[in-house]
């Protein structure tokens, strides 16, 4: 089982943490054409390990919260770009679901 999983893993998986605001660049197939679509939001959780590792990104669209789960090692993910890092004290940020407006923002982590 481990041999099969090793072939599915990316050599350089994206480096990000919970609370980071990220841009997830996805490959989208439309007929014969392929294009890149960007989903940007805050990483509110990670789960699983190895080839089954997933992360959840939340963003606000037209006043509604939208959450989407992505596999870390998916070949459909072109790259994950970290825009800003947030200071968090939890592994899962589900409490952001209940917040509205400016209360959703996280304090930014200083990069040194």
């Amino acid at each position: 089982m481990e041999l099969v999983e090793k072939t599915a893993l990316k050599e350089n998986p994206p480096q990000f943490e919970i609370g980071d605001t990220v841009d997830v660049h996805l490959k989208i197939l439309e007929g014969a054409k392929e294009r890149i679509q960007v989903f940007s939001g805050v990483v509110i959780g990670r789960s699983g390990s190895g080839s089954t590792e997933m992360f959840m990104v939340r963003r606000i669209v037209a006043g509604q919260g939208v959450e989407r789960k992505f596999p870390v090692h998916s070949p459909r993910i072109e790259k994950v770009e970290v825009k800003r890092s947030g200071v968090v004290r939890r592994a899962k940020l589900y409490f952001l679901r209940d917040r509205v407006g400016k209360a959703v923002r996280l304090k930014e982590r200083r990069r040194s």
Side-chain angles (χ1 to χ4, degrees):
M1 197 64 175
E2 290 176 20
L3 293 172
V4 175
E5 278 192 10
K6 282 183 183 177
T7 59
L9 298 179
K10 287 185 178 179
E11 288 182 21
N12 298 322
Q15 299 296 318
F16 58 90
E17 296 177 18
I18 293 154
D20 290 356
T21 302
V22 296
D23 286 349
V24 182
H25 295 257
L26 292 165
K27 292 179 190 173
I28 303 291
L29 282 172
E30 292 177 339
K33 294 183 182 178
E34 188 176 274
R35 67 181 178 89
I36 301 289
Q37 185 175 23
V38 180
F39 189 93
S40 55
V42 177
V43 178
I44 64 168
R46 285 180 89 147
S47 62
S49 63
S51 64
T52 61
E53 187 176 359
M54 307 281 279
F55 66 99
M56 193 181 310
V57 180
R58 178 179 175 81
R59 74 175 184 179
I60 307 297
V61 178
Q64 285 292 101
V66 176
E67 292 180 5
R68 190 162 172 193
K69 287 184 91 170
F70 300 101
V72 172
H73 296 283
S74 172
R76 291 233 178 263
I77 293 180
E78 186 75 22
K79 64 180 175 178
V80 177
E81 196 175 337
V82 178
K83 290 295 181 185
R84 61 189 294 255
S85 295
V87 176
V88 293
R89 297 168 64 180
R90 287 168 174 67
K92 304 283 193 279
L93 304 182
Y94 298 147
F95 66 90
L96 293 178
R97 294 173 177 165
D98 301 328
R99 297 194 177 187
V100 180
K102 289 185 179 179
V104 177
R105 293 184 301 179
L106 298 170
K107 195 180 288 185
E108 189 167 1
R109 182 184 306 132
R110 304 269 181 199
R111 294 183 183 152
S112 48

